[in-house]
Amino acid sequence: MSDTERSLSAFRKISYAVGHFLNDLCASMWFTYLLVFYHSVMGFQNTNAGLLLLVGQIADAICTPLIGYESDQTPGCRNYGKRKTWHLVGTVSVVVSFSFIFNRCLACDSHTPQWASLVYFVPFIIIFQFGWAATQISHLSLIPELVTCEHAKVELTAYRYAFTVIANIAVYALAYLLFHVQAGKDDDPLSDSLGPADIPIFRNLALIVMGIGTLFAIFFHLGTTEGPSLGAGEEAGGERGRQRNKKEVEEAEDERRPLLPSSNTTSALLQWKCWLRQPSFYQVALLYMSTRLIVNLSQTYISMYLINTLGLPKKFIAIIPLVMYLSGFLSSFIMKPVSRRIGKCLTYFVGLVLIMAFSYWVLLDIRMGQQVYGAAVLLGVGSATILVISLAMTAELIADQTQSGAFVYGAMSFTDKLANGVAVMVIQSLHPCHTVVCCPACVWFYHYIMVAVTGGVAIVAALALCSILIWPIKIRPRGLRVMSDDSPRIN
């Protein structure tokens, strides 16, 4: 069976898709609730809360390309597979560190200086970010190894993102339930405001997330087989699939464009240094970074916007993100047929249009009221669309160069994490208030922040998309060093 004809069973698609579920659960809490927890609940200053997020993003940015390189080079643990080995290391690191991040300092009291609390949390954040990076890179690197045709990559990425959305939905649903239970027990009229009394809510939420995510990680390791070889049953299923779907196989053959215009293209192996000479590498990196900035920064500041600008009760920091990700979940199911019909670039542009529509709505409507639900739908569908397509474009860039695929994903994630951390720190340093209690200036501050992190960054993403439309994604042979079967191997 050729690489082009290789197919995955539904079970293997699902088992692969849940492999990032623990990461997604943690990322949902990290981006949505970290600033809220440390500033509004723990009482940290704005800059100190932003500093913790920046430390985490820098640690992730440094670890990601290094892990990507090592993941490409190391053989893995015996026959377990190099990607799954790194995934396991990352999962263990996340599990042992994450619950400490959303909890009070165990050795601190009311007289402990804030800098000492920062020192306490930093090691746990670094360990968590190392584990998160190891899991993310190894999981993404499996996509071009499990499937080869472009539509199959989009489909597998859509499955992966569908579970990302499910993870976010689970976090926000659990948060809403915990807030609702607390509201039923608390008769204090100030209970709608965040404060130290909410520490148990975030601690319990983190513990529940760890338990659920660990179960899904176990399912991934039991159900996913790394490497090109397939089981006998799956080969038989693939044979029946070839008989039923001959037309789809022929379409897949047409999709596979050679990376290098030479007779031995399929044996040419690109090393990590070769990627740095490719213009398409930087085009996709800019698009991916812009996409992640939109998704992550909007997720980070939506809670502050809801509480401080719109003046909504604290339960809405669970309800509105839940609406966003439900919308994204539903849109992920139509991603493959839409991208097949109109192409990935135009599908990405549609997502950008929805993001810009959300930004314009926020800019004009200062007091949304119930209309915030409609705006949340726009942001949710737009974010889901651009994220899935940006990942599919990254997989298209890698194509059959799976031996260095982890480096590419690592480099993309490096720009994303570093840009996110710097952006949050800049925003926090511009914050008009220096106390835990928000002043009237916060109303306008978070209003314009939401406009900037969606509509402003969407303009940068649109420019990156235009460059891809003008110069399509492909590997250019000029000045390229490759490793083929007839050339010496680079160890």
Side-chain angles (χ1 to χ4, degrees):
M1 179 165 49
S2 67
D3 286 344
T4 306
E5 296 173 304
R6 191 195 317 164
S7 61
L8 292 180
S9 65
F11 175 80
R12 288 193 68 191
K13 289 176 183 177
I14 298 299
S15 66
Y16 167 79
V18 302
H20 206 252
F21 200 72
L22 174 61
N23 262 21
D24 292 328
L25 291 168
C26 295
S28 179
M29 286 194 64
W30 173 266
F31 285 110
T32 307
Y33 296 134
L34 188 80
L35 292 183
V36 172
F37 177 74
Y38 282 105
H39 176 61
S40 301
V41 178
M42 296 288 289
F44 284 23
Q45 295 180 357
N46 282 292
T47 51
N48 287 338
L51 181 62
L52 287 176
L53 193 144
L54 176 62
V55 167
Q57 295 303 100
I58 291 177
D60 197 352
I62 294 174
C63 290
T64 296
L66 295 178
I67 292 172
Y69 176 79
E70 289 298 325
S71 178
D72 286 332
Q73 300 299 316
T74 55
C77 182
R78 297 181 181 272
N79 296 326
Y80 198 62
K82 58 184 180 181
R83 311 300 188 194
K84 288 181 64 179
T85 298
W86 276 100
H87 189 284
L88 182 61
V89 171
T91 299
V92 173
S93 300
V94 168
V95 169
V96 299
S97 61
F98 188 72
S99 59
F100 290 95
I101 297 175
F102 285 91
N103 200 355
R104 67 174 77 248
C105 175
L106 298 181
C108 301
D109 55 30
S110 58
H111 302 291
T112 303
Q114 203 165 105
W115 66 264
S117 298
L118 292 177
V119 172
Y120 169 84
F121 287 112
V122 164
F124 295 111
I125 289 175
I126 292 176
I127 294 172
F128 162 68
Q129 292 293 354
F130 164 80
W132 202 97
T135 304
Q136 180 202 34
I137 295 304
S138 58
H139 193 254
L140 283 173
S141 302
L142 278 172
I143 293 178
E145 295 191 8
L146 294 176
V147 293
T148 52
C149 111
E150 295 302 328
H151 289 315
K153 292 176 183 177
V154 174
E155 181 184 28
L156 206 56
T157 304
Y159 270 95
R160 182 181 185 272
Y161 186 75
F163 279 96
T164 297
V165 175
I166 293 173
N168 282 272
I169 291 172
V171 168
Y172 300 134
L174 289 169
Y176 175 76
L177 289 175
L178 291 173
F179 281 125
H180 183 72
V181 170
Q182 183 201 50
K185 297 179 180 179
D186 199 344
D187 297 328
D188 188 351
L190 298 178
S191 61
D192 277 340
S193 301
L194 289 169
D198 296 306
I199 292 178
I201 290 181
F202 290 95
R203 179 197 62 209
N204 295 338
L205 182 60
L207 293 175
I208 295 172
V209 159
M210 286 296 97
I212 297 174
T214 301
L215 292 177
F216 279 93
I218 293 173
F219 179 61
F220 162 78
H221 281 275
L222 293 178
T224 302
T225 303
E226 182 178 342
S229 59
L230 303 173
E234 194 162 357
E235 289 182 0
E239 181 65 33
R240 290 191 297 270
R242 290 197 303 275
Q243 294 173 358
R244 293 192 302 265
N245 303 307
K246 183 178 180 180
K247 182 178 179 180
E248 292 186 6
V249 172
E250 291 174 351
E251 291 177 355
E253 289 285 358
D254 293 336
E255 287 178 353
R256 291 183 55 80
R257 303 183 303 274
L259 286 177
L260 299 173
S262 61
S263 58
N264 63 343
T265 297
T266 56
S267 62
L269 302 179
L270 275 66
Q271 299 304 296
W272 69 272
K273 293 181 180 179
C274 299
W275 288 110
L276 301 180
R277 305 188 189 103
Q278 294 300 316
S280 292
F281 177 81
Y282 298 99
Q283 289 175 277
V284 176
L286 179 60
L287 187 78
Y288 184 81
M289 181 192 72
S290 303
T291 300
R292 283 293 186 179
L293 278 173
I294 294 171
V295 174
N296 293 340
L297 291 180
S298 62
Q299 187 177 357
T300 298
Y301 285 100
I302 189 68
S303 297
M304 299 293 195
Y305 171 72
L306 294 170
I307 293 175
N308 298 310
T309 301
L310 300 184
L312 297 173
K314 62 185 179 183
K315 65 181 181 180
F316 276 84
I317 68 174
I319 295 175
I320 296 303
L322 181 60
V323 172
M324 291 168 49
Y325 279 93
L326 279 172
S327 305
F329 176 72
L330 295 176
S331 66
S332 66
F333 287 104
I334 64 173
M335 208 72 66
K336 181 183 177 182
V338 169
S339 66
R340 173 176 290 182
R341 179 174 294 273
I342 67 176
K344 288 193 286 290
C345 287
L346 191 54
T347 304
Y348 187 93
F349 179 73
V350 170
L352 279 185
V353 169
L354 296 176
I355 297 291
M356 291 180 179
F358 166 84
S359 177
Y360 191 65
W361 194 343
V362 171
L363 180 64
L364 295 182
D365 197 346
I366 301 174
R367 292 290 180 182
M368 285 191 179
Q370 296 299 317
Q371 293 179 344
V372 69
Y373 291 100
V377 170
L378 287 179
L379 183 59
V381 175
S383 298
T385 301
I386 62 176
L387 186 55
V388 168
I389 299 302
S390 66
L391 287 172
M393 287 183 176
T394 306
E396 178 184 349
L397 174 68
I398 296 172
D400 58 358
Q401 301 297 320
T402 57
Q403 79 290 337
S404 56
F407 170 78
V408 175
Y409 282 118
M412 301 295 167
S413 192
F414 173 83
T415 60
D416 144 44
K417 300 302 188 305
L418 192 59
N420 273 286
V422 172
V424 167
M425 195 60 197
V426 170
I427 293 172
Q428 292 299 105
S429 64
L430 295 175
H431 200 285
C433 299
H434 300 286
T435 60
V436 178
V437 179
C438 205
C439 67
C442 290
V443 175
W444 291 104
F445 179 76
Y446 290 115
H447 174 82
Y448 288 118
I449 286 300
M450 282 305 298
V451 173
V453 301
T454 52
V457 182
I459 295 175
V460 179
L463 294 176
L465 182 64
C466 288
S467 73
I468 293 176
L469 288 171
I470 298 172
W471 299 286
I473 298 173
K474 67 177 181 179
I475 301 301
R476 292 167 174 82
R478 184 177 180 181
L480 181 67
R481 292 178 59 193
V482 300
M483 183 174 66
S484 63
D485 294 337
D486 300 328
S487 59
R489 297 275 170 177
I490 301 176
N491 297 322

